[in-house]
Amino acid sequence: MILEGKVWRYGDNIDTDVIIPARYLNTSDPQELAAHCMEDIDASFAANVRQGDIMVAGKNFGCGSSREHAPIAIQASGIACIIADSFARIFYRNAINIGLPIIELGKDAERIGSGDSVRVDLQAGIISNKTSGEEFKIQPLPGFIRDIAQAGGLINYVRGGKA
Amino acid sequence: MAMTMTEKILARGAGLDSVTPGQLIKCRLDLVLANDITGPPAIQEFAKIGRPVFDPAKIALVPDHFTPNKDIKSAEMAKAVREFAARHGIVNYFEVGRMGIEHVLLPEVGLVAPGEIIIGADSHTCTYGALGAFATGVGSTDLAAAMATGETWFKVPSGIKVNLRGKPPRWVGGKDIILTLIGMIGVDGARYQSLEFAGEGVAALTMADRLTIANMAIEAGGKNGIFPVDEVTLKYLEGRVERPFTVVTADDDAVYEREIEIDLSALTPVVALPHLPENVKAVNTLPEITIDQVVIGSCTNGRIEDLAQAAEVFAHGGVHPRVRAIIIPGTQQVYLEAMQRGYIETFIKAGAVVSTPTCGPCLGGYMGILAAGERAVSTTNRNFRGRMGHVDSEVYLAGPAVAAASAICGRIASPEEVLA
Ligand code: SF4
């Protein structure tokens, strides 16, 4: 799968309360959640994000509450994939489980900036920053985490009789 | 092969002789938990799988976040959980009136025992490590799959050993200990890792202290926090847990990625300043910080021991005229006991409000939302931007004694100032 889009760049320790504040958690409708995604730190995000854009962040992305509403809101907003230095573990699981591509890139995530144009080749395991001309290698997902991702998420995986 | 406590429990759950950090395993589960926010999406996903629940006695559903229902939408969510529970014969569904904050409630009613493996669609599920269980938070889809299959996958975490020694001074509690640790290692200091508490200092901690400490393992990024099982644990389990359980101990030569020493006798009351739990400062080093609201409660500090501390402080003074103080017993049982011991009367006479158990203000849900520019001292576990209300409000995390003293003084204060 090849993903290509403009980058929305955020910093370290972006928590799930910022991704989708609890005041909107009285629904789990993806579109309603997407309308408020990131609004407490970036009021322009929900209105301007385009289908296929890519989110890039620093360390510990998605820390805090286990609300799956956070990756759901990001996915429904049109974001095709999240690249971060590192992810908080529950967020990581949740993203894999709902079939949202997620890439732990380590320190190199710093080398992708806001507004950059980025191409992600998930099969070949390569991220190209077309704005800077740099390329980064993606570590392949291990064992059945890859199987879950390839099934398009955990529910498909379980329905396929794999668990 | 030598293993940590976490590794041993996970190996048993996976049916393996041993496991090593980084290994991906599938484990059978002893209990799976959801609440009124995470339950409805899990129920939707569960329906897609098309299987019955794996065991109606091993699922706990606790509507605690927006209940008693705060609005129509949250009423619909609570209804979805209630109807699911009825349809599938879920034994441990807790209706309003018997409900409490999930992580105070489940240990209290004996749903957690040492050596068990528990996942909950709530990040503070790690609380149950206080009883020597392996417990961790997951999302709704993980929970949906677990409700159908009774198992889930884990990456075996590497361990951080936290050696505790000494006895905490008066007014230093579990909250001060865990905040001090998070201040030392940072909010991602234990990311993907297990925090294993050990050392002679453990014996000096009450079960409430341990539950508070394990509760906030997630605030250091940890997968779980876990305590050894000792006399304090066994005493707590008496009359609560009838089923057989296995006490697991770490091997003496278990390998940890890191070891941290904490001398409990050297600690002082602390607060975590906005907007991260790692911004920890000793209360007596702070400049004057005036406040608008105090919240005492939550899965972190909503137990009877916490209310006892708060009552002791409030017996020495009323709530400052500029401050709103909200006190929320963690469960109906805690509420009842606080009433029998006279704490509720102390709180009301001091000018605080006392609420039925709910998560309410902790997550900025309802009942105690902050306006722009307002500051709260809260015994909860997260002080992220906007967590308790307006994006320009501030949350200072503290233990119940500091919170009560601050309510009286109208600024962040230590209990010694009030009791002096
Ligand atoms: S009290 Fe707060 S942290 Fe605990 S379960 Fe409720 S919302 Fe979550």
Side-chain angles (χ1 to χ4, degrees):
Chain A
M1 193 175 14
I2 294 188
L3 310 167
E4 211 164 332
K6 190 188 95 135
V7 168
W8 293 82
R9 183 72 166 86
Y10 299 101
D12 291 341
N13 299 317
I14 299 298
D15 60 79
T16 53
D17 276 274
V18 154
I19 297 169
I20 184 72
R23 59 184 179 275
Y24 302 121
L25 294 187
N26 56 3
T27 175
S28 49
D29 176 64
Q31 291 314 321
E32 272 186 65
L33 295 171
H36 301 289
C37 188
M38 309 304 285
E39 76 177 26
D40 282 354
I41 52 163
D42 182 356
S44 73
F45 175 79
N48 295 299
V49 61
R50 294 272 162 81
Q51 194 65 37
D53 281 355
I54 289 171
M55 192 176 276
V56 181
K59 285 191 299 182
N60 205 24
F61 185 86
C63 60
S65 145
S66 65
R67 61 189 69 157
E68 202 160 295
H69 310 66
I72 289 171
I74 293 174
Q75 189 179 46
S77 75
I79 290 288
C81 125
I82 311 176
I83 301 169
D85 180 330
S86 63
F87 291 92
R89 57 162 288 278
I90 303 177
F91 186 92
Y92 184 90
R93 288 183 81 104
N94 288 347
I96 299 278
N97 286 343
I98 65 166
L100 171 63
I102 188 165
I103 300 164
E104 201 153 49
L105 191 60
K107 281 245 161 294
D108 283 342
E110 272 172 29
R111 308 196 58 83
I112 306 175
S114 212
D116 285 1
S117 174
V118 161
R119 182 177 190 273
V120 179
D121 185 334
L122 288 173
Q123 257 78 48
I126 293 184
I127 299 174
S128 325
N129 185 343
K130 293 168 60 179
T131 305
S132 70
E134 284 186 288
E135 283 203 348
F136 310 101
K137 220 177 145 22
I138 307 171
Q139 294 300 322
L141 294 173
F144 46 70
I145 299 182
R146 184 185 52 232
D147 300 340
I148 295 169
Q150 276 173 358
L154 183 64
I155 298 300
N156 286 342
Y157 176 78
V158 172
R159 285 173 68 185
K162 298 270 184 50
Chain B
M1 210 189 66
M3 287 189 283
T4 66
M5 216 175 147
T6 297
E7 287 161 1
K8 274 194 189 170
I9 295 173
L10 289 178
R12 279 189 64 231
L16 301 169
D17 291 334
S18 68
V19 295
T20 50
Q23 190 176 345
L24 289 172
I25 54 168
K26 280 186 183 150
C27 280
R28 48 127 198 104
L29 298 166
D30 296 295
L31 186 70
V32 303
L33 157 76
N35 58 49
D36 53 320
I37 291 184
T38 59
I43 290 166
Q44 271 176 27
E45 294 303 307
F46 173 85
K48 293 181 194 162
I49 300 171
R51 291 194 215 170
V53 297
F54 81 104
D55 185 342
K58 290 187 173 176
I59 294 172
L61 297 173
V62 187
D64 56 357
H65 278 58
F66 291 152
T67 56
N69 307 329
K70 77 151 178 157
D71 58 17
I72 295 169
K73 280 181 173 174
S74 60
E76 297 293 346
M77 300 200 321
K79 186 176 168 203
V81 175
R82 181 180 306 117
E83 289 179 351
F84 177 85
R87 203 160 53 243
H88 294 273
I90 303 300
V91 180
N92 296 298
Y93 167 73
F94 296 90
E95 189 55 88
V96 169
R98 286 171 291 283
M99 169 278 282
I101 297 173
E102 51 200 283
H103 311 307
V104 185
L105 182 68
L106 298 196
E108 180 188 281
V109 298
L111 280 171
V112 179
E116 293 187 337
I117 301 179
I118 300 169
I119 62 169
D122 189 277
S123 58
H124 292 102
T125 302
C126 55
T127 308
Y128 315 136
L131 298 172
F134 173 85
T136 192
V138 297
S140 294
T141 300
D142 269 319
L143 197 91
M147 286 199 296
T149 65
E151 58 177 46
T152 199
W153 65 271
F154 295 116
K155 185 160 103 182
V156 178
S158 61
I160 297 180
K161 187 176 188 180
V162 184
N163 283 310
L164 304 176
R165 65 188 146 84
K167 278 197 172 61
R170 181 151 167 73
W171 303 123
V172 168
K175 187 60 154 291
D176 304 291
I177 298 167
I178 187 64
L179 285 178
T180 301
L181 176 63
I182 296 167
M184 290 164 72
I185 66 175
V187 291
D188 69 345
R191 202 166 46 80
Y192 296 130
Q193 292 183 294
S194 161
L195 281 171
E196 295 212 353
F197 295 88
E200 41 100 2
V202 169
L205 301 178
T206 65
M207 192 45 66
D209 287 327
R210 299 178 197 189
L211 288 158
T212 302
I213 293 170
N215 174 271
M216 289 190 71
I218 178 74
E219 270 61 58
K223 182 177 203 131
N224 68 318
I226 195 164
F227 276 85
V229 175
D230 65 5
E231 279 161 31
V232 174
T233 327
L234 296 175
K235 180 130 191 296
Y236 181 86
L237 293 166
E238 255 176 51
R240 299 180 199 271
V241 174
E242 306 285 322
R243 63 189 176 283
F245 55 82
T246 313
V247 174
V248 174
T249 48
D251 291 319
D252 289 339
D253 52 347
V255 179
Y256 296 89
E257 198 161 298
R258 183 175 175 191
E259 294 206 20
I260 294 169
E261 307 287 326
I262 295 183
D263 178 1
L264 298 175
S265 66
L267 302 186
T268 61
V270 293
V271 292
L273 311 185
H275 293 285
L276 280 179
E278 69 185 19
N279 297 334
V280 176
K281 294 275 181 311
V283 173
N284 58 19
T285 63
L286 292 175
E288 172 158 329
I289 301 173
T290 56
I291 59 167
D292 305 284
Q293 181 168 299
V294 164
V295 174
I296 298 175
S298 86
C299 62
T300 317
N301 286 111
R303 301 185 178 82
I304 193 69
E305 292 86 344
D306 301 307
L307 299 190
Q309 271 200 18
E312 196 178 340
V313 178
F314 278 124
H316 290 81
V319 176
H320 191 280
R322 209 183 43 240
V323 174
R324 293 104 57 185
I326 302 170
I327 299 178
I328 308 181
T331 62
Q332 291 286 82
Q333 182 57 38
V334 173
Y335 203 152
L336 191 61
E337 211 168 320
M339 198 177 74
Q340 287 161 350
R341 295 195 198 178
Y343 302 160
I344 304 294
E345 191 176 336
T346 305
F347 297 146
I348 291 174
K349 283 186 173 156
V353 296
V354 184
S355 156
T356 184
T358 179
C359 291
C362 170
L363 77 163
Y366 71 116
M367 234 198 54
I369 303 298
L370 299 173
E374 288 192 327
R375 275 192 206 121
V377 173
S378 178
T379 68
T380 53
N381 46 44
R382 292 194 170 128
N383 56 354
F384 300 148
R385 188 173 288 282
R387 171 77 177 178
M388 292 181 74
H390 194 277
V391 56
D392 293 325
S393 59
E394 294 184 344
V395 180
Y396 294 72
L397 303 177
V402 169
S406 304
I408 293 168
C409 296
R411 58 178 167 77
I412 297 180
S414 85
E416 273 132 11
E417 294 179 57
V418 174
L419 273 82

